[in-house]
Amino acid sequence: MDHERQLAPSPFPGDAGVADPATRRALAAAVGGADPAAYLRAVAVLCTDRLLVPVVATATRLGETVGGLASDKEAEMSVVMLQAADGRRALLGFTGLDALHAWQADARPVAVTLDKAAQTARAEGVAALLVDFAGPHPLVVDGEVLESLAAGRRLVETAPGEFGWLVEADGADPAAG
């Protein structure tokens, strides 16, 4: 087994895990879902930010210490999903470490763009992406919006209250702009 793994450089160097105040304001304005433009504006703002997707360690093999205590011999890191009573599952994402730790203090954050989180959600067969599930302003991204994000599109506000999908040109990297 090769134990010398290389970590990829962070796409968000210098990120301290603090939520962007503009993102939090947009999510707060979208609470309640009465204004479709506020919801779309929140998604558009999330497209310009990063999300923290939580991963947790799951023991795959247990052992016993010399003193007789149980210990993890091997563990895998797993992306966290929530499952509703009706069986639908959702991927979690957080705008800041404060929101992630309010949900689960020992979860480890992985910084990703919204489209990457949506691609993970689609690959895992989940119905939604829950942003800031534990607060302060939870937002559900699902349906056609989630599918468009997973396809690599980014939502932009083209004029006040008007929105469109930004599609990358052939060979262009949407994360670069």
Side-chain angles (χ1 to χ4, degrees):
M1 178 183 292
D2 181 14
H3 292 288
E4 293 183 31
R5 296 185 181 160
Q6 299 276 330
L7 293 177
S10 171
F12 306 97
D15 182 8
V18 176
D20 183 326
T23 300
R24 289 271 173 91
R25 283 191 301 274
L27 268 63
V31 169
D35 181 8
Y39 172 79
L40 293 174
R41 189 169 293 113
V43 173
V45 170
L46 284 169
C47 285
T48 65
D49 202 353
R50 61 92 183 97
L51 281 178
L52 301 174
V53 173
V55 294
V56 294
T58 305
T60 56
R61 193 173 73 134
L62 297 177
E64 191 173 302
T65 65
V66 175
L69 299 174
S71 69
D72 294 350
K73 286 285 193 183
E74 293 178 4
E76 293 182 357
M77 297 304 285
S78 303
V79 174
V80 178
M81 310 283 180
L82 287 185
Q83 185 166 337
D86 66 2
R88 289 180 299 150
R89 296 182 314 142
L91 176 71
L92 301 181
F94 297 91
T95 57
L97 283 175
D98 60 338
L100 182 133
H101 289 156
W103 168 71
Q104 186 169 328
D106 64 343
R108 295 181 180 242
V110 175
V112 297
T113 56
L114 182 60
D115 57 325
K116 295 295 181 196
Q119 289 167 6
T120 299
R122 183 169 62 181
E124 295 294 328
V126 302
L129 172 63
L130 300 180
V131 179
D132 286 353
F133 171 69
H137 310 290
L139 184 79
V140 177
V141 179
D142 61 359
E144 292 177 20
V145 173
L146 184 65
E147 286 300 316
S148 290
L149 292 166
R153 299 179 186 102
R154 295 200 175 170
L155 191 62
V156 294
E157 189 166 11
T158 57
E162 295 182 22
F163 299 87
W165 289 104
L166 182 64
V167 180
E168 79 177 82
D170 290 338
D173 179 4

